[in-house]
Amino acid sequence: MAQRVLVVEDEEDIAFPLVRTLEREGYDVAWVDTGQRALDDVAATPTELVILDLGLPDIDGLEVCKRAREAGFTGGIMIVTSRAGELDRVVGLDTGADDYLSKPFGLAELQARVRALLRRLNVPGRDETHGDPDGLHVDVAARRVYASGTEVALTGKEFDVLSILVANRDKVVSRGRLMADVWDENWYGSTKTLDVTIGRLRQKLEGAGVGEKVVAVRGVGFRLESVPA
């Protein structure tokens, strides 16, 4: 079954080329022109990726991103916008986006970003799980995380970071490795995005009552510390 991509863009002259390009790539593509329609769509239809413009006529795209995550959407979100400042980029990632593409952009670059993001969200050939069913449990194949049997909703980036930390439990994972493994060669943004992702991940794990802690090792990286016996 083709992967489903939702394009959220209110300008037809921008949306139509995106839709045609993605359809030629073999994706099942839908298009909506408002934030509310986007939220209704992802709530009703399984979707692997949302390409989200920020300048929507009804709801700001950052708010759409935030509401989608709060409602439990775990697919990829790629923000496409003319807001190119680092602060806007960090805020976008802080609200749950997985990638950020500034206008104007080439369709070839968009295609590459989409392929890279979907590869990270759908890792083939992995069926292993990590963790204790009575504590933190990471199902890599299903890309789902559970805390004492209750699912914890994570974004694609949060899941990727956590799965690496869990696989290396009690060992330090360098910032460089996390950036290389979770973000790809197309990423040219600030490494502060890693700190933003780690911060959101900590909040969600703590909120779910997970005893294991994501600890920063100054100047090196991060470590997931097991619960003391």
Side-chain angles (χ1 to χ4, degrees):
M1 182 180 295
Q3 293 169 304
R4 187 175 191 267
V5 177
L6 176 66
V7 174
V8 187
E9 170 62 63
D10 64 318
E11 297 184 35
E12 292 186 7
D13 58 340
I14 296 177
F16 285 174
L18 292 182
V19 171
R20 288 196 298 267
T21 296
L22 293 167
E23 287 178 336
R24 285 197 295 267
E25 287 279 296
Y27 301 113
D28 176 14
V29 186
W31 169 55
V32 296
D33 57 3
T34 69
Q36 188 58 56
R37 288 173 182 168
L39 292 170
D40 294 341
D41 185 281
V42 296
T45 309
T47 301
E48 280 72 34
L49 175 64
V50 175
I51 298 177
L52 175 64
D53 181 53
L54 294 189
L56 299 172
D58 58 339
I59 307 173
D60 185 82
L62 292 177
E63 181 65 20
V64 173
C65 183
K66 180 181 178 182
R67 291 187 192 179
R69 292 304 190 199
E70 290 175 345
F73 178 68
T74 58
I77 297 179
M78 178 186 295
I79 287 176
V80 177
T81 180
S82 56
R83 305 177 196 174
E86 180 178 341
L87 178 59
D88 289 312
R89 185 187 299 267
V90 171
V91 170
L93 294 166
D94 195 29
T95 58
D98 296 290
D99 203 355
Y100 198 111
L101 185 59
S102 297
K103 296 178 182 179
F105 56 86
L107 291 176
E109 181 182 4
L110 175 77
Q111 288 173 296
R113 293 285 190 100
V114 168
R115 288 193 297 267
L117 181 53
L118 288 174
R119 280 198 304 269
R120 295 198 299 273
L121 295 175
N122 297 276
V123 181
R126 295 188 181 185
D127 57 3
E128 69 268 27
T129 61
H130 301 293
D132 182 344
D134 295 324
L136 180 62
H137 176 79
V138 178
D139 186 334
V140 177
R143 294 187 65 84
R144 304 178 82 171
V145 174
Y146 300 88
S148 299
T150 301
E151 185 168 5
V152 181
L154 300 181
T155 67
K157 287 289 196 303
E158 291 163 3
F159 179 89
D160 291 337
V161 169
L162 179 61
S163 63
I164 293 172
L165 294 176
V166 168
N168 295 274
R169 187 181 268 105
D170 295 320
K171 299 177 182 177
V172 178
V173 181
S174 71
R175 295 178 65 92
R177 177 184 170 186
L178 288 170
M179 290 299 299
D181 288 357
V182 177
W183 286 262
D184 65 12
E185 67 276 4
N186 293 311
W187 179 255
Y188 298 105
S190 168
T191 58
K192 291 179 182 178
T193 58
L194 172 59
D195 298 298
V196 169
T197 301
I198 290 286
R200 290 201 314 262
L201 181 59
R202 280 176 175 150
Q203 290 177 351
K204 291 182 179 182
L205 294 180
E206 290 173 2
V210 174
E212 294 170 292
K213 304 293 184 183
V214 179
V215 177
V217 180
R218 187 176 180 84
V220 182
F222 299 91
R223 176 179 64 243
L224 183 68
E225 291 189 348
S226 298
V227 179

